[in-house]
Each structure stands twice: as C-alpha cells, then as structure tokens.
Amino acid sequence: LMAADILLYQPHGVPVGDDQRQHVELTRDLAQRFNHRYGETFVVPTGFYPETGARIYDLQDPTSKMSKSAASPNGLINILEEPKKTAKKIKSAVTDDGTEVRYDREAKPGVSNLLTILSAVSGTPIPQLEEEFAGKMYGHLKVAVADAVVERLAPVRERALALLDDPAELDRILAAGAEKARAVATPVLEDVYAKVGFLPP
C-alpha cells in the first residue's frame, strides 16, 4: 500500500524515517520491474533520510523506537497533546546513572535520544549541543528539550485544533486536497491500466 501511495504521485524523493527504508527500497524495486516490463511509467524515487532524527526512540524505553503501540503512553510525544503534558513526559524521560551529557547510543541511549530530539527540532548539530551541556546535569538537557519541542509543536497544534473546531473548513480543505491528488494520479493510473491491459476504472 505504501508503494502504491508513493508511485501513484510520481515523486522523485520520499522523506521518511530510518525505519521506513525497506518500504522505499521495495517501492524502487517495484517501479524498476514495472518499467522494465512495460516501458517507462513510474519515477524511481529516492529515499530522503534526515541526518538527525531519522529514528526517534521511546522516552521510557530508549532502546525501542517511539510508537503508538508502545507499552506505556508516557514514552510517546503526541502532537496535539497539552504542552504541559508533553513537557512532563520529556522531563520524566529515562536517562542513565551517569551525569555526562554526551551522545553514545550504546552506553547512553536515553541521553542520546534526548540529544537527537533537541538537534532535530532546533537544527543544532549534536556535537555543538554536547559542548553547550558540558558540565551541566541531565535536568538541564531535559528542560531544554521540553521547551524546544513544545515551541516547535505549538503552531502545528494550534492550527490542527482550529481546523478540528471548524468541520466545514476542514471538509473544504480535504476536498481540495483530494481533487489535487486525483488530478495527478488519474493520468498515471490510466497509463498503468493501458500498459497492463486492464479496462479503465
């Protein structure tokens, strides 16, 4: 399904997290096989993986990726959650017994995860963050991460809640988006049906 969603819209690049790498590779394989058999039809997309933040880990179990299906909701950052609740989760994140703020996925997965999140939302490279927090305690890092995440999510949350409070406007935006998507997808689907020998839908 992900491959179909990608190929139908002919993107050259697909921005995804590291855990979606296999899906992008499968999509590329399918596009190449179809093009080889039926002629040039699909753009073969490239995966774009961010240098920092391609994989974010659970705040309570920093050895597992952050997921809605995690054992505890306290390890998950929800975009629409109350800012105070988000900040509390981050400030309660699991770290380790040490005190040094440095990136080390094996020895310090919790601290490394917090550094990754802060780097991703602030745009500050991890080595620079390590310098900024040299000699400081984990509490300072957690407060900085909480503040940065809350600030970054604030406009997204505000806009989403405003749309949810205006169902008519939300329906209008969804309909306009669907129309744009249909305009791009229909010629591709018609081309695929013609090449494979299916009757048009």
Side-chain angles (χ1 to χ4, degrees), residues 105-116:
R105 268 297 323 154
E106 296 301 316
K108 303 170 87 65
V111 172
S112 299
N113 191 37
L114 291 173
L115 284 169
T116 299

Side-chain angles (χ1 to χ4, degrees), residues 132-166:
E132 287 179 21
F133 287 95
K136 294 181 181 177
M137 307 296 284
Y138 292 159
H140 295 98
L141 174 62
K142 290 180 179 183
V143 169
V145 176
D147 290 347
V149 170
V150 166
E151 183 182 350
R152 182 67 179 268
L153 294 182
V156 178
R157 180 176 183 274
E158 185 179 323
R159 176 68 172 144
L161 293 177
L163 288 172
L164 291 171
D165 282 342
D166 188 351

Side-chain angles (χ1 to χ4, degrees), residues 1 3-10 34 38 40-43 180-201:
L1 287 175
D5 287 341
I6 293 170
L7 295 177
L8 193 54
Y9 300 100
Q10 303 285 48
F34 192 96
Y38 297 104
E40 286 302 311
T41 307
F42 294 116
V43 172
K180 283 182 183 177
R182 230 182 331 272
V184 174
T186 299
V188 177
L189 194 58
E190 288 174 349
D191 187 28
V192 168
Y193 269 60
K195 286 176 175 173
V196 173
F198 287 167
L199 292 172

Side-chain angles (χ1 to χ4, degrees), residues 20-30 32 45 47 49:
Q20 301 299 312
R21 192 178 295 267
Q22 286 178 306
H23 290 290
V24 176
E25 290 307 314
L26 173 62
T27 302
R28 289 173 52 80
D29 290 345
L30 290 171
Q32 289 166 346
Y49 310 98

